[in-house]
Amino acid sequence: MHHRHHHGLGHLPRMFFRGGFPSRAELIERLEGFQRDLEQQLADVADVLAHLRDSADEAPQQQA
């Protein structure tokens, strides 16, 4: 069985390539939006981690 190997822009979601291949300006716009989404997700993860760490600091320490 033949498997296709895609090279180039890595593992970008297929949403970047619906229809024809986008123009350079369209691709830049889509990638910038994708980057903003990733940055927001990263900030959300950082907030959850900070909350969990703060909660762990406030919880009474258990000894084995």
Side-chain angles (χ1 to χ4, degrees), residues 19-61:
F21 193 82
S23 71
R24 183 182 192 89
E26 291 169 333
L27 185 56
I28 289 171
E29 182 179 338
R30 291 180 194 179
L31 287 171
E32 287 174 342
F34 185 58
Q35 182 179 21
R36 284 190 297 274
D37 291 345
L38 289 174
E39 288 169 347
Q40 182 60 55
Q41 290 179 25
L42 182 60
D44 292 345
V45 168
D47 289 344
V48 170
L49 283 171
H51 175 74
L52 290 171
R53 287 182 180 126
D54 291 344
S55 296
D57 290 342
E58 294 171 3
Q61 298 295 322

Side-chain angles (χ1 to χ4, degrees), residues 12-23 26-27 30:
L12 294 176
R14 294 190 67 85
M15 64 184 242
F16 292 113
F17 303 105
R18 286 188 189 145
F21 193 82
S23 71
E26 291 169 333
L27 185 56
R30 291 180 194 179

